[in-house]
Amino acid sequence: MITQVTKGIKISVNTNFEGTFFKNYKMHYAFGYTITIENQSKDPVQLTSRHWRIYDSLNDVETLDGEGVIGKKPMIQPGESHTYNSGCLLTSPIGAMKGHYNMVNFDSSEKFRVYIPTFKFSAPFALN
C-alpha cells in the first residue's frame, strides 16, 4: 500500500493486475486500484475534482481531468473516509499513475489540492 498525507487528508492506494485482453487488435493490460481518502483534519472537506497523469511504458503520458470520483463528489467528515475502486487500461504490462484531488474545506471555504502518490502497475509476468 502506498500512502501520502496532504493538509490532513491521507490518501492510501492498493493496486492489482486484472488480466489481459485484445481490443482494437492490440493487447491491453487491465489494472485495478482502490483508493481510500481519510480525513485526519478537524474540518469537513469535499472532493470536487481530480487530475491524473497516466504513464504507460509504451506510450506517451496521458492526462485526465474530471469532476469528482466515479460520479461522486464525496463530503468527508473529520475522522471519516471514502473508499472507491477504479481501473486503468495500458498497452504495456508496466505503468504508473499519480495526480491530485481538488478539495474544499467547508469550515473556511478554502480550496486546496491533495496529492495522490505515484502508484505503479506491473503484471506479475513482467517482473524479473
Side-chain angles (χ1 to χ4, degrees), residues 10-81:
K10 180 179 178 182
I11 306 297
S12 302
V13 185
N14 279 317
T15 63
N16 61 298
F17 176 65
E18 300 284 336
T20 59
F21 65 95
F22 279 94
K23 179 181 175 185
N24 298 330
Y25 305 103
K26 282 187 177 179
M27 178 68 84
H28 284 77
Y29 301 84
F31 296 92
Y33 57 89
T34 300
I35 296 185
T36 299
I37 305 162
E38 183 181 348
N39 185 353
Q40 298 178 334
S41 76
K42 61 179 177 42
D43 301 323
V45 298
Q46 183 175 25
L47 188 157
T48 59
S49 62
R50 70 190 182 283
H51 172 85
W52 287 114
R53 292 183 60 81
I54 303 169
Y55 301 87
D56 185 327
S57 65
L58 295 178
N59 281 322
D60 292 334
V61 175
E62 183 179 357
T63 302
L64 295 174
D65 292 286
E67 291 197 20
V69 289
I70 60 167
K72 297 179 182 176
K73 293 182 179 180
M75 172 80 118
I76 309 168
Q77 296 295 328
E80 295 185 356
S81 63

Side-chain angles (χ1 to χ4, degrees), residues 95-108:
M97 285 177 68
K98 73 175 182 177
H100 66 263
Y101 297 123
N102 292 309
M103 310 281 278
V104 175
N105 177 315
F106 263 75
D107 282 356
S108 68

